[in-house]
Amino acid sequence: MSDIALGLEALARLLSADLMRVENPDSLVMGVAPLESAGPNHLSLARDLRQVKALRKTRALAVLISNPRLIEKSPCSVLQVEDLSKALSLAIAYFHPEPELAEGVMPGALVDEGVRMGLGCRVEPGARIEAGASMGDHCHVGANAVILACCKLGSRVRVGPGSVLGTPGFGLRREGERPVRIPQVGMVVIEDEVELGARCTVDRATLGATRIGAGSKLDAAVHVGHNVDIGRNVIIAAQSGLSGSVKIGDGAVLGGQVGVADHVVIGAGAQIGAGSGVGSRVAPGARVAGYPALPVERWLARSFFRSQKHPSAERDEEPRS
Amino acid sequence: MSDIALGLEALARLLSADLMRVENPDSLVMGVAPLESAGPNHLSLARDLRQVKALRKTRALAVLISNPRLIEKSPCSVLQVEDLSKALSLAIAYFHPEPELAEGVMPGALVDEGVRMGLGCRVEPGARIEAGASMGDHCHVGANAVILACCKLGSRVRVGPGSVLGTPGFGLRREGERPVRIPQVGMVVIEDEVELGARCTVDRATLGATRIGAGSKLDAAVHVGHNVDIGRNVIIAAQSGLSGSVKIGDGAVLGGQVGVADHVVIGAGAQIGAGSGVGSRVAPGARVAGYPALPVERWLARSFFRSQKHPSAERDEEPRS
Amino acid sequence: MSDIALGLEALARLLSADLMRVENPDSLVMGVAPLESAGPNHLSLARDLRQVKALRKTRALAVLISNPRLIEKSPCSVLQVEDLSKALSLAIAYFHPEPELAEGVMPGALVDEGVRMGLGCRVEPGARIEAGASMGDHCHVGANAVILACCKLGSRVRVGPGSVLGTPGFGLRREGERPVRIPQVGMVVIEDEVELGARCTVDRATLGATRIGAGSKLDAAVHVGHNVDIGRNVIIAAQSGLSGSVKIGDGAVLGGQVGVADHVVIGAGAQIGAGSGVGSRVAPGARVAGYPALPVERWLARSFFRSQKHPSAERDEEPRS
């Protein structure tokens, strides 16, 4: 519960919602909570009909919904919106604002003198940034993250705790039976507003640069190999791995635990189902799943006789909480 | 070899074993070692008939067995027990006791002032714990682990080196083409006696809590998404990943590299084979394997004509060493 | 661009190359760059006919090739070699030599007094090495890596940033419903010239040792379970995982995201395709792929009617950059 309070009508204005039902007109909303744990001053959220049971039992003061069939199932006040995720985001940001964090290099972080850092950056304890690296304004580097000398970060980049950027790519040749490293002297370029989750790894290029395009978001434990080129606004879920020289077009979405073989090209806007193994080109806008990855329709057909549902190619972008 | 020594009869009493054969009645056991490297003062272990060859050649003073057919194959003294893993544990703990570790916050760890910590906790070098986090008694936080403000740990919890707890969940919405984060303001609740291996990640909930129930054990590099609810005494092997809002019942066992799609419910006592991709509900007690996951019997049938054995759904809980 | 310059004939001698065509005999090579970004003082590289388009447009002074059909496609001078990867390595090492790093324990690293360390080792900031561990000469331990007491490293070993060596293996038994750890008191042995990428985990053995043989190279985020035995000169790509007591023969190659079930034996020189799930013995020299893993020929046959190419069992050992 926060110490911020708002009446239902003011809340409806804040969220651009229609107040479809009012049960307790004088009560104040003071926080956001899941249906199951909400109390009499909470706003809650019901996403679809599978949540009717929880909705009927909720003690919340009001619920956010999008589907009109949920209005009559609600035991409390109802705010209807078109974009549920956006309204939820606004409500959380209003009632549970994130604390302002001080700028600067926190105690226990080790940033070399030669690092160029823009305005308003924050480097958490235990993070290590080598001379030669650079970053723009308002970046956030998580605790115990490692950014090596060959990395150039844009502005408003977030690097999750424990992530490692700039290690040499895994390029090997054999000398007799011995595997020997090919020197890796390229860069890592992370553009504006990229966010990397916890424990990601991004390898530097052999020559040239490994690049992650502006606005792309990577979940935890994603591995990006050397010379990979990720476009803008790409979404990659947890534990996925991109082999050397993979190219991913703007706006593509990769589910969790996806693997992409080296040099494969994935077109703009393509959607790759969770757990897929992608060994060949994926056309722009295509939806594929499976190992090896198939068009979703064919993969579903194969899966049907096994009476299993498919992992959705598109990540459900928000929890029902 | 330890500096602790025990005669065979005393050892049999310690392990509740039956001394089925005595070859060198006056020798002393001074340590535990694998069949291959054991010397004349070692206790060793033979688990099944596949180890007969190594058993015949061992130089150990005595072997622990459960299967009576191994008695006559042994060249040395034999102690028979019902529960081999338990007897092995007792023997290792007796001859190779783990060193007592000093309590407290080790040099190089950074624990904020506002952290509530119970009695007898140990925080290894380089670990980072933010103000707002709390933990019960006798917790152990590994080197370079990161515990953010939203985390509540119970007692006797172990967090492996390099693990990261409390990062924001990967909840996104699109604003035009740009993916935008939905604020994540929930908690992480880790109950008593949970153990997380090295390099795990546990995301905080959007609202409410991501929970790991009492007694559950996670291997290395497991990813737990936002709003996941793991029951009690669950076992999850290395590199598995749980998407947002997954629910796992008490006592379930997940093999390594398992992936579970968001909102999927896995029933109590279910067993999920290594490498499985689980996209839909798994009934309590069911055994499934494959991608997409199938009941083990059907998955085996499909795999049979490919003449391959199946990865066992249940992790072999102890090495033959 | 480096400040080192070399004429084409001297460069040909350095790389043991044949100068097959000379366009600008008086220009100097001053660096190595990909075809697309090379300038008039760069050496570049064309690996195969798929790169003809980029080759025709390059502004490089000269290109390294192996395939003679590329000679006439080149707009610039051509150096032909037999082993392209070796020549590339020599050229990069000459024009872009890696900076000499100071020896010693860097600020912010925490190395206990009891650690035995050979000559010329370097321990990066934030790394943690416990008393009891040892390492030979010229080892390199990355930032925020963790090496626990039970680890013995040979000479010229590289441990990537954030890697964790020596955590207890995931050996459990049940006591009623509760999973209980079997004590893990064995070692980790890393032989000479092994290289581990970023964020790897290597568990200590229950008894005996988890071993990685001389010259083996592991990519990022690889997990090595307790009592695993990896031979010499083995290559393992990113995010692969080896369960307890797996045995891998000399010179084997595992693609990315491979999983191997416990106690499985993989023969010398075997090749395991990316994303494979290996549940049973793989013969020496065999090539397998898929989940469960099949001989590559059969896996391809199954995959053919799905009109998908296969992830190559052998990692492309160098980027086309």
Side-chain angles (χ1 to χ4, degrees), chain B residues 195-285:
Chain B
E195 297 187 19
L196 304 172
R199 296 198 302 109
C200 290
T201 37
V202 182
D203 285 351
R204 74 190 295 188
T206 311
L207 300 168
T210 302
R211 187 183 73 98
I212 304 182
S216 290
K217 310 292 184 213
L218 278 60
D219 197 354
V222 172
H223 173 66
V224 178
H226 58 102
N227 291 85
V228 165
D229 187 288
I230 298 175
R232 298 165 67 93
N233 299 324
V234 169
I235 295 175
I236 303 181
Q239 297 181 318
S240 288
L242 311 179
S243 304
S245 302
V246 161
K247 199 171 157 59
I248 299 185
D250 294 348
V253 177
L254 280 68
Q257 295 186 335
V258 166
V260 185
D262 51 280
H263 292 95
V264 164
V265 176
I266 293 178
Q271 294 183 1
I272 315 294
S276 299
V278 185
S280 58
R281 187 184 192 85
V282 175

Side-chain angles (χ1 to χ4, degrees), chain A residues 106-196:
Chain A
M106 299 297 108
L110 197 73
V111 179
D112 282 347
E113 277 199 26
V115 173
R116 276 177 303 158
M117 216 184 293
L119 299 171
C121 292
R122 181 179 164 96
V123 179
E124 297 284 352
R128 162 70 177 140
I129 309 182
E130 277 190 356
S134 68
M135 63 181 74
D137 299 335
H138 301 290
C139 290
H140 185 269
V141 178
N144 290 341
V146 176
I147 300 179
L148 299 177
C150 57
C151 299
K152 280 196 190 323
L153 279 60
S155 290
R156 295 174 303 286
V157 168
R158 295 182 73 90
V159 176
S163 284
V164 176
L165 278 57
T167 32
F170 197 60
L172 300 168
R173 60 191 183 87
R174 294 265 188 193
E175 202 151 84
E177 302 194 330
R178 295 172 55 224
V180 181
R181 279 203 176 263
I182 298 169
Q184 307 280 314
V185 299
M187 295 170 58
V188 167
V189 175
I190 310 280
E191 297 183 357
D192 293 349
E193 285 172 38
V194 166
E195 297 187 21
L196 305 171

Side-chain angles (χ1 to χ4, degrees), chain B residues 21-127:
Chain B
R21 225 169 97 187
V22 178
E23 293 295 321
N24 290 292
D26 301 329
S27 294
L28 295 174
V29 173
M30 297 175 69
V32 190
L35 290 171
E36 294 79 2
S37 58
N41 292 95
H42 276 129
L43 173 69
S44 194
L45 173 99
R47 192 164 285 282
D48 57 42
L49 290 165
R50 285 175 293 181
Q51 287 181 282
V52 164
K53 210 167 139 183
L55 175 58
R56 285 195 199 280
K57 287 195 285 194
T58 191
R59 300 192 308 126
L61 170 59
V63 289
L64 267 175
I65 58 130
S66 177
N67 183 341
R69 297 175 56 189
L70 289 165
I71 299 173
E72 56 162 23
K73 319 284 189 195
S74 171
C76 60
S77 303
V78 174
L79 291 93
Q80 188 179 15
V81 293
E82 226 165 273
D83 184 339
L84 209 48
S85 298
K86 186 175 180 178
L88 175 67
S89 295
L90 287 169
I92 295 176
Y94 185 82
F95 290 105
H96 309 281
E98 293 195 62
E100 283 283 324
L101 296 175
E103 297 173 12
V105 176
M106 298 298 108
L110 197 75
V111 178
D112 281 347
E113 277 198 28
V115 173
R116 276 177 303 160
M117 217 185 292
L119 299 171
C121 292
R122 181 179 165 96
V123 180
E124 296 285 352

Side-chain angles (χ1 to χ4, degrees), chain B residues 86 89 125 144 193 195 199 217 219 233 238-239 251 253 257 274 290 305-308 315-317 319-320, chain C residues 126 128 144 170 172-174 178-179 181 199 201 206 221 223 240-241 258-259 262-263 280 291 293-294 298:
Chain B
K86 186 175 180 178
S89 295
N144 290 342
E193 285 173 40
E195 297 187 19
R199 296 198 302 109
K217 310 292 184 213
D219 197 354
N233 299 324
Q239 297 181 318
V253 177
Q257 295 186 335
F305 77 92
R306 309 188 206 161
S307 52
Q308 281 283 334
R315 191 186 159 79
D316 192 13
E317 294 194 352
R320 281 178 235 136
Chain C
R128 163 69 177 141
N144 290 341
F170 197 62
L172 300 168
R173 60 191 183 86
R174 295 265 187 191
R178 292 172 55 224
R181 279 202 176 263
R199 296 199 302 108
T201 37
T206 311
H223 174 65
S240 288
V258 166
D262 52 278
H263 292 95
S280 58
Y291 168 64
L294 292 175
R298 295 176 57 195

